[in-house]
Amino acid sequence: MVALAAGRFRMGSDLHYPEEGPSRAVRVGPFAIDRYQVTNAQFAAFVSATGYRTVAERPLHAADYPGLPASRLAPGSLVFRPTQGPVNLRDLSQWWEWTPGANWRRPEGPGSGLRGRKQHPVVHIAYEDAETYARWRGHRMPTEAEWEYAARGGLDGAEYTWGDEQLPAGRRLAHWWLGDFPWRSTRPGGVQGPAPVGSYPANGYGLHDAAGNVWEWTSDWYGPTPGGTTTPSCCGPAESRSVAEQDSIDPAQPGTPVPRKVVKGGSWLCADEYCRRYRPAARRPQPVDTGMSHIGFRCAADLE
């Protein structure tokens, strides 16, 4: 972990997606935060020590999902599947597929595994999973303000974790989508998925991958920031203005209502033409019971 002193910073942005505004001065107390996203190796050690089963490894209860076919009640998670060609970017269902058997051990579902991925960030992690792991370590989840303060690395108000220029000297300093989303990756070999933690330089506070790679859970219930609008954006529907658990629920959500937490930092699926959220101010809501193949976490701890 890296220990950070108390400080004030400018949180949010008025220049990008509406849920990020308004930009405002925020103070955080002293805290510590992981330098790296939690890896598969670290999470495996936790599971070995405790016997813990993640949300994605547990069957769904039919009573909680009325009308859902029995075939959809098997344990699983949402997996990114590239499309065959260009598609309407408003329809997320074209590249997200509910996959029985997908979980942190099998990131793409049955037949996949963790060989060669021990130092990749663990994914398919629901909020309960992340919080349970953090408590096992004697730590906790970071608040949204703590996360953003740490991600900025002392560059108050900068657009990216490394400054205001997207590609300084032509260098790519975070792992986001390269190519045509969601169908063609132009990375060498067409490689898709998270990169090993620490593959890109640290920010000014020593944090790696605070932009891109995988989204990260925070402890805050999702509610657009004070003074914002209710305009929908690419990664989330219009929201109510509150930070209470009950008010974090999307009123348009079908079936059993599920509260949502804030996730931060963007992921390897962020593409400039679709979702430019590999920035510290970026935020989106995530149902607490839903892990995906681009959501992980890091832990925080109190210093006082």
Side-chain angles (χ1 to χ4, degrees):
M1 286 188 140
V2 58
L4 299 177
R8 291 177 65 86
F9 74 107
R10 186 146 294 278
M11 184 174 180
S13 171
D14 299 319
L15 303 176
H16 296 280
Y17 299 103
E19 71 273 10
E20 298 173 17
S23 176
R24 62 221 180 268
V26 172
R27 183 186 183 280
V28 296
F31 68 102
I33 191 166
D34 286 342
R35 293 181 182 272
Y36 303 98
Q37 295 162 337
V38 174
T39 65
N40 285 314
Q42 290 173 309
F43 199 79
F46 156 66
V47 170
S48 177
T50 64
Y52 182 81
R53 285 202 308 163
T54 62
V55 171
E57 296 172 283
R58 308 172 202 164
L60 302 180
H61 297 293
D64 294 335
Y65 300 91
L68 193 68
S71 61
R72 297 288 300 275
L73 296 175
S77 189
L78 286 165
V79 175
F80 171 77
R81 307 290 188 193
T83 61
Q84 294 299 309
V87 294
N88 181 350
L89 296 181
R90 289 181 172 271
D91 184 5
L92 282 69
S93 67
Q94 295 186 88
W95 57 87
W96 284 110
E97 179 181 335
W98 173 260
T99 305
N103 54 56
W104 73 275
R105 301 175 191 270
R106 299 177 179 84
E108 287 82 45
S112 63
L114 299 182
R115 177 174 293 183
R117 302 184 189 186
K118 296 296 178 65
Q119 295 308 310
H120 285 60
V122 65
V123 293
H124 295 297
I125 297 297
Y127 185 77
E128 177 187 334
D129 306 328
E131 189 173 54
T132 303
Y133 172 90
R135 286 201 304 265
W136 176 73
R137 275 180 54 183
H139 298 156
R140 59 173 174 80
M141 301 303 294
T143 67
E144 181 180 5
E146 288 173 336
W147 191 99
E148 187 168 330
Y149 178 74
R152 290 186 174 279
L155 299 178
D156 197 25
E159 184 164 351
Y160 301 102
T161 63
W162 55 84
D164 288 317
E165 190 177 350
Q166 184 191 41
L167 299 169
R171 296 179 65 206
R172 184 177 291 265
L173 298 179
H175 183 32
W176 69 86
W177 184 272
L178 185 61
D180 300 302
F181 186 84
W183 62 283
R184 180 171 63 183
S185 170
T186 56
R187 292 188 177 278
V191 174
Q192 297 177 6
V197 301
S199 295
Y200 294 85
N203 72 3
Y205 287 158
L207 272 69
H208 292 264
D209 306 310
N213 217 25
V214 295
W215 286 95
E216 299 181 27
W217 288 104
T218 73
S219 63
D220 283 35
W221 296 111
Y222 182 85
T225 52
T229 71
T230 55
T231 304
S233 63
C234 76
C235 295
E239 310 297 337
S240 60
R241 298 279 154 181
S242 176
V243 295
E245 177 180 352
Q246 183 63 29
D247 291 324
S248 73
I249 295 171
D250 178 3
Q253 175 187 340
T256 304
V258 179
R260 298 172 298 170
K261 294 280 190 178
V262 176
V263 292
K264 298 282 284 181
S267 80
W268 61 279
L269 289 174
C270 284
D272 288 347
E273 71 271 26
Y274 165 64
C275 187
R276 196 178 223 177
R277 280 180 162 82
Y278 48 93
R279 300 172 291 101
R283 62 200 300 267
R284 65 179 287 264
Q286 181 68 19
V288 295
D289 66 346
T290 305
M292 303 172 76
S293 53
H294 71 333
I295 295 179
F297 70 107
R298 74 180 76 211
C299 299
D302 296 323
L303 290 182
E304 290 184 331

